[in-house]
Amino acid sequence: MYHHIVVLTGAGISAESGLKTFRDQDGLWEEHRIEDVATPEGYQRDPVMVEQFYNHRWQQLNDPSVVPNAAHEALAKLEREFPGKLLVVTQNVDNLHERAGNRQLLHMHGELGKGRCPRSRQIFTLHEPFGPDNCCTCCIPAQRLRPHIVWFGEMPLGMDRIHDELERCDLFIAIGTSGTVYPAAGFVEIASHHGALTAEVNIAEKDPHSLFHLHYQKMASEAVPQLVDKILKGSLFAK
Ligand code: APR
């Protein structure tokens, strides 16, 4: 039986909930240039266009058809029933893990439903779209809130805690991530180096350079419930 699990999720776990990934066919990076909508420079250049990009994705979360899928539900079941420690680290900025019920959750790339004061860095829950009138309440004069999103070139959130958990876990599972963006892409190496069994779930074939011990080439909504059941039964390569 495992005692300490870290799960890393990427856009692929939310694909079956109807949210676009970044690098798949018709992904977000086919519609927008990263440098225009996911960098501090792009925001300085054209804040309105960047606000529209995030407002659209935030409002999409309120679409009744966008709900947690079986993979999100399985991770919530794992948190409820697993007797050891579990942390879900997500690169996703949607709220589907929370809505499924996970609480031991860390958004390392920020959250669509939050804004941040550019001066104090205070974080605010979003109640209206980003725009010139959506300002902080912590400064005088009030500052226009920016998306609470970690852009390229900015430091991901919670890295000290993530490293600490990766060094202590005995099972590391990556779900629906292309493993192309660091530091998340390097987590498997840290976990493996400290003795964890590493597994990944992806609809794509195993990358020839992959460091994962196990690879489940399946849709997340199919593979994750199966994996969670095996873990809870103690039958996933029981230690
Ligand atoms: N089930 C399992 N895997 C899937 C599914 C699915 N239903 N659909 C897609 N995938 C896989 C794809 O094969 C791909 O490997 O999910 C992965 C999605 O990769 P990306 O689009 O690159 O998303 P992600 O890995 O989360 O991107 C990491 O890049 O642009 C930044 O900040 C952004 O957090 C994001 C980071």
Side-chain angles (χ1 to χ4, degrees):
M1 192 64 177
Y2 293 95
H3 304 287
H4 189 155
I5 304 174
V6 174
V7 175
L8 170 69
T9 62
I13 198 170
S14 297
E16 293 166 78
S17 297
L19 295 179
K20 282 189 171 184
T21 66
F22 293 95
R23 297 172 181 83
D24 287 327
Q25 206 73 22
D26 86 350
L28 285 167
W29 295 151
E30 281 187 10
E31 294 167 357
H32 305 273
R33 294 189 327 148
I34 288 179
E35 52 272 32
D36 290 341
V37 294
T39 61
E41 297 74 18
Y43 180 66
Q44 295 307 324
R45 217 171 23 246
D46 188 344
V48 173
M49 192 260 285
V50 173
E51 288 173 343
Q52 284 169 350
F53 177 66
Y54 291 100
N55 285 338
H56 169 69
R57 293 174 66 200
W58 173 59
Q59 282 151 350
Q60 208 186 1
L61 293 182
N62 300 319
D63 182 321
S65 68
V66 175
V67 296
N69 62 58
H72 296 104
E73 301 295 351
L75 291 180
K77 177 183 176 187
L78 186 63
E79 179 170 313
R80 286 193 304 274
E81 299 181 14
F82 177 61
K85 267 196 81 175
L86 169 71
L87 174 67
V88 174
V89 178
T90 187
Q91 299 172 92
N92 300 339
V93 293
D94 64 56
N95 59 0
L96 295 175
H97 283 305
E98 292 87 336
R99 288 166 59 187
N102 280 92
R103 292 294 171 270
Q104 294 307 310
L105 176 66
L106 198 160
H107 281 273
M108 64 180 288
H109 287 168
E111 297 173 67
L112 283 173
K114 292 184 179 165
R116 191 195 314 159
C117 170
R119 178 180 294 166
S120 72
R121 294 184 65 81
Q122 187 170 331
I123 296 167
F124 296 82
T125 299
L126 217 51
H127 296 293
E128 59 182 295
F130 291 106
D133 303 331
N134 193 350
C135 295
C136 76
T137 53
C138 51
C139 302
I140 297 173
Q143 302 293 308
R144 184 175 185 155
L145 290 181
R146 59 157 276 183
H148 178 51
I149 298 289
V150 176
W151 286 327
F152 285 88
E154 295 183 327
M155 179 59 78
L157 306 170
M159 289 307 295
D160 290 345
R161 181 175 174 204
I162 294 169
H163 273 270
D164 185 48
E165 299 270 341
L166 290 171
E167 290 168 7
R168 298 165 188 265
C169 73
D170 50 17
L171 178 58
F172 174 72
I173 306 170
I175 303 167
T177 181
S178 58
T180 49
V181 176
Y182 285 80
F187 290 175
V188 55
E189 195 164 3
I190 300 169
S192 181
H193 178 72
H194 286 84
L197 176 74
T198 60
E200 70 172 337
V201 171
N202 201 306
I203 49 170
E205 279 182 5
K206 180 170 182 172
D207 182 301
H209 307 294
S210 168
L211 297 175
F212 284 93
H213 299 120
L214 303 172
H215 180 87
Y216 298 89
Q217 186 177 352
K218 287 182 182 175
M219 302 276 272
S221 62
E222 183 191 348
V224 181
Q226 292 168 351
L227 212 44
V228 166
D229 285 346
K230 278 185 182 176
I231 291 167
L232 293 175
K233 285 195 191 102
S235 60
L236 178 79
F237 290 76
K239 272 197 155 183

